[in-house]
Amino acid sequence: MRASGRRDQDPEPDPDRDPHAAPDPGDQCVVELSGVSESAALLRAKGATTQAGFTSERIPGWLFRHRPILMDDGPGHLEHRKRLVRFFSPRTLEDTHRAFIERTAAGLVDAAKREGSSRIDDLALFFSVRVASEIVGLSGGDTEALARRLEAFFRQPPVDHTRRDHGRTQRQWARAAKDALVPLMSFYWRDVRPAIRARRARPADDIISHLLEHGYRPREILMECLTYGTAGMVTTREFMSMALLRLLQDSELRARYLGAEIAERTEMLSEIIRLEPPVSHIYRRVASPAPGCPYAPDTLVDINVRRANVDPEVFGPDPEAIETGRGLPAAARTGLSFGDGAHRCPGSHLALMETDTLLVTLLRAGATLERQPDRGFDTLVQGYQLRGLVVSFTAPAAAP
């Protein structure tokens, strides 16, 4: 059956496709899930599904001995995650990275105050990439230039993940490959290759050093850096902008946030990211039926994250309100915004920590809304885009 229900934004019409042509034989069976319980059960079903988002099924497996973590599945993927989780654990983030994150936010906001205003999508881009670069091991160069190279990689034709051809013609696939190749090669030569050389000479406690220790080749390290760099940039950047916009538009919520301790602020951000998930759809391909996954092999499962995240069976009778004290475990407060199962985002603690740090720094510096953002939708990531959100600075907000 085809997926049902509203899309956040349909892909642009394909000018090369004949609107009067017969149905595409490449169309496929798609099941849409929109409840937390059924979606989590499928995502946790071991060995039942494989990654089908981010056009991962188009990437040839023979390119990699170690397949990128975002696109891998199975025992190797689980082992890779276990080894990497220490870089993103709450203890590591607090002990090793919080001071750097706070210094970076303070430096960027101080510079913005001197300018008198700031475009938040740019500020959040530079901040999130600088933090991700520190953890990954790409911190030796110009972070702003690195951020622009990563951003350029995502300027691609729209996709429709529910179609076999992803809604692209061969000409569009060729264009996507060409458009991605230049920033990808620039990213490798200017950022990744120098970092590999530096870590071979002097290993550090970062992800590139870890990958070298486990025998990853340069092309495999490139893809891992792209994964972590873009996860840190694309999704966290958008959430920072969205969360700040929510707080700037709601004076009562902003006052509660500024007056709260860090634990309560984190819970408030968990509520915001639940209601505004940076990735609205999760796609999985059924490999074999299993408990929690009763679908036929080759079925594409489309998990509608935005709908699942307002499931009243989990979040109560008023699921669209921002409320603390819902009585849910910390991992459940965000719904499916960080995924679940083997592909749950390992950087969830980092995303909330750096977002809280930047937002508190901006609000205490007196950031006020000067320009509403333009809203778009990235079909590759399946997430919103906010561009042109501008704040100016007045008298600093009172500290709690």
Side-chain angles (χ1 to χ4, degrees), residues 282-298:
I282 297 173
Y283 298 98
R284 302 291 293 176
R285 179 78 60 189
V286 176
S288 61
C293 179
Y295 310 108
D298 200 43

Side-chain angles (χ1 to χ4, degrees), residues 28 42-43 45-60 67-74 77 81 161 164 166 227 231 279 281-288 293 298-303 305 338-346 379-382:
Q28 58 186 323
L42 181 127
L43 292 171
K46 292 184 179 180
T49 66
T50 58
Q51 174 68 273
F54 311 102
T55 67
S56 60
E57 294 177 309
R58 304 281 299 202
I59 299 176
R67 192 163 170 81
I69 190 170
L70 180 67
M71 301 169 184
D72 197 16
D73 287 284
H77 170 77
R81 278 182 60 92
H161 296 273
R164 287 281 185 192
H166 290 81
T227 295
V279 177
H281 292 265
I282 297 173
Y283 298 98
R284 302 291 293 176
R285 179 78 60 189
V286 176
S288 61
C293 179
D298 200 43
T299 298
L300 180 71
V301 181
D302 172 2
I303 296 174
V305 176
F338 291 113
D340 207 324
H343 276 274
R344 179 177 170 82
C345 175
T379 58
L380 178 62
V381 176
Q382 284 291 297

Side-chain angles (χ1 to χ4, degrees), residues 229-241:
T230 52
M233 179 195 79
V234 176
T235 55
T236 307
R237 170 200 199 183
E238 302 302 344
F239 175 59
M240 288 174 179
S241 296

Side-chain angles (χ1 to χ4, degrees), residues 230-308:
T230 52
M233 179 195 79
V234 176
T235 55
T236 307
R237 170 200 199 183
E238 302 302 344
F239 175 59
M240 288 174 179
S241 296
M242 180 62 79
L244 180 63
L245 181 62
R246 282 261 191 164
L247 294 173
L248 291 175
Q249 290 178 324
D250 188 331
S251 58
E252 181 179 346
L253 183 65
R254 182 170 67 252
R256 281 175 53 202
Y257 185 78
L258 281 172
E261 297 294 331
I262 189 168
E264 186 179 356
R265 294 201 307 268
T266 301
E267 194 169 350
M268 293 171 72
L269 289 177
S270 296
E271 282 283 278
I272 295 175
I273 203 169
R274 174 178 67 82
L275 297 173
E276 302 286 0
V279 177
S280 298
H281 292 265
I282 297 173
Y283 298 98
R284 302 291 293 176
R285 179 78 60 189
V286 176
S288 61
C293 179
Y295 310 108
D298 200 43
T299 298
L300 180 71
V301 181
D302 172 2
I303 296 174
N304 190 320
V305 176
R306 186 174 287 275
R307 284 189 177 182

Side-chain angles (χ1 to χ4, degrees), residues 177-209:
K178 178 182 176 182
D179 290 348
L181 185 60
V182 172
L184 186 64
M185 288 298 95
S186 180
F187 178 46
Y188 176 73
W189 286 102
R190 294 175 181 270
D191 306 296
V192 177
R193 188 168 180 264
I196 290 174
R197 287 184 165 184
R199 294 305 180 264
R200 278 181 172 152
R202 183 174 294 180
D205 189 21
D206 55 36
I207 290 175
I208 289 180
S209 298

Side-chain angles (χ1 to χ4, degrees), residues 23 96 128 152 157 206 221 252 301 318-319 337-338 351 354 392 400:
T96 306
S128 58
D206 55 36
I221 294 175
E252 181 179 346
V301 181
D318 193 9
S337 293
F338 291 113
E354 58 183 328
S392 56

